[in-house]
């Protein structure tokens, strides 16, 4: 029986932060499902850094189908969770179903990989108090307000919680997450 991993995301998620872990985890032999507010074709974005801009820019990215709606997620069916960034977490954190999902994974101490703005969802679900995390650097005040110890570094591992700043940190983020995942939910 396949070990299942869940990705929670929505429109305006950063393309690379959804598709890189999706493909990397499948490559390892995990079965990966994408959950969103509803089952539909999601529209991702590309965030990049350009000279002369004080922050990142946003352009249209890839589209990808959601496998199931947040309301239909049975958390016990999944061994780990991935929370990508982009703008999606800004509105997803207000969804009670996605907060239910995050709380269940946190309470069960299942592996969670979060990146960029993804920790906004974990924070809204009460899952960052007393934890060490990183996130997109502009979120430092949000992480501290959620009770987390913020570190501006490529990747931070705190038990089963693995966080990264943004897509340039993918390689180390997934390497660290896979180390945690193989210890808790190996593919047999």
């Amino acid at each position: 029986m396949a070990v299942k991993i869940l990705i929670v995301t929505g429109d305006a998620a950063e393309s690379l932060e959804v598709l890189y872990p999706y493909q990397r985890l499948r490559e390892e032999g995990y079965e990966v499902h994408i959950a969103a507010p509803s089952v539909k074709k999601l529209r991702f974005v590309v965030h990049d850094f350009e000279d002369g801009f004080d922050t990142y820019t946003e352009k249209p990215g890839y589209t990808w189908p959601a496998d199931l709606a947040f309301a239909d997620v049975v958390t016990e069916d999944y061994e780990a969770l991935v929370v990508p960034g982009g703008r999606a977490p800004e509105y997803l954190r207000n969804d009670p179903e996605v907060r239910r999902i995050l709380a269940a994974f946190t309470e069960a101490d299942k592996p969670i990989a979060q990146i960029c703005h993804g920790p906004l969802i974990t924070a809204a679900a009460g899952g960052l108090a007393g934890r060490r995390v990183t996130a997109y650097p502009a979120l430092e005040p949000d992480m501290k307000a959620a009770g987390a110890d913020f570190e501006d570094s490529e990747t931070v591992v705190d038990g089963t919680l693995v966080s990264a700043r943004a897509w340039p940190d993918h390689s180390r983020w997934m390497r660290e997450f896979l180390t945690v995942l193989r210890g808790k939910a190996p593919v047999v």
Side-chain angles (χ1 to χ4, degrees):
M1 190 167 199
V3 178
K4 296 180 186 175
I5 310 293
L6 184 67
I7 296 176
V8 293
T9 195
D11 287 328
E14 163 54 53
S15 293
L16 288 173
E17 294 174 2
V18 177
L19 296 175
Y20 180 79
Y22 177 83
Q23 292 171 339
R24 183 68 188 92
L25 292 166
R26 287 174 45 95
E27 180 181 52
E28 286 289 317
Y30 292 97
E31 183 176 329
V32 183
H33 296 161
I34 295 177
S38 63
V39 177
K40 68 175 208 164
K41 184 191 323 182
L42 297 168
R43 290 168 179 82
F44 301 144
V45 298
V46 173
H47 287 154
D48 207 351
F49 303 93
E50 297 180 34
D51 291 337
F53 279 76
D54 292 332
T55 187
Y56 54 84
T57 60
E58 182 174 285
K59 297 167 185 65
Y62 293 105
T63 60
W64 199 266
D67 298 304
L68 68 164
F70 294 149
D72 298 327
V73 171
V74 177
T75 57
E76 295 81 10
D77 291 348
Y78 297 92
E79 298 304 320
L81 180 67
V82 177
V83 188
R87 275 189 305 113
E90 294 173 10
Y91 69 91
L92 293 178
R93 65 184 166 173
N94 297 311
D95 186 312
E97 288 296 331
V98 80
R99 289 195 311 267
R100 169 189 65 85
I101 293 166
L102 263 292
F105 278 87
T106 301
E107 290 167 12
D109 197 33
K110 290 183 178 181
I112 298 173
Q114 58 182 11
I115 189 166
C116 193
H117 285 70
L120 289 172
I121 301 172
T122 314
L128 295 184
R131 305 296 297 264
R132 291 176 37 252
V133 300
T134 194
Y136 189 70
L139 270 58
E140 180 177 358
D142 302 279
M143 299 299 96
K144 288 181 175 178
D149 179 20
F150 180 81
E151 298 177 22
D152 185 5
S153 59
E154 190 176 12
T155 301
V156 172
V157 179
D158 182 350
T160 57
L161 181 64
V162 181
S163 54
R165 294 175 299 196
W167 58 261
D169 301 333
H170 273 166
S171 297
R172 183 158 179 221
W173 178 54
M174 275 293 106
R175 190 167 46 251
E176 297 291 349
F177 184 59
L178 283 166
T179 297
V180 171
L181 198 49
R182 288 175 185 132
K184 293 283 265 183
V187 174
V188 272

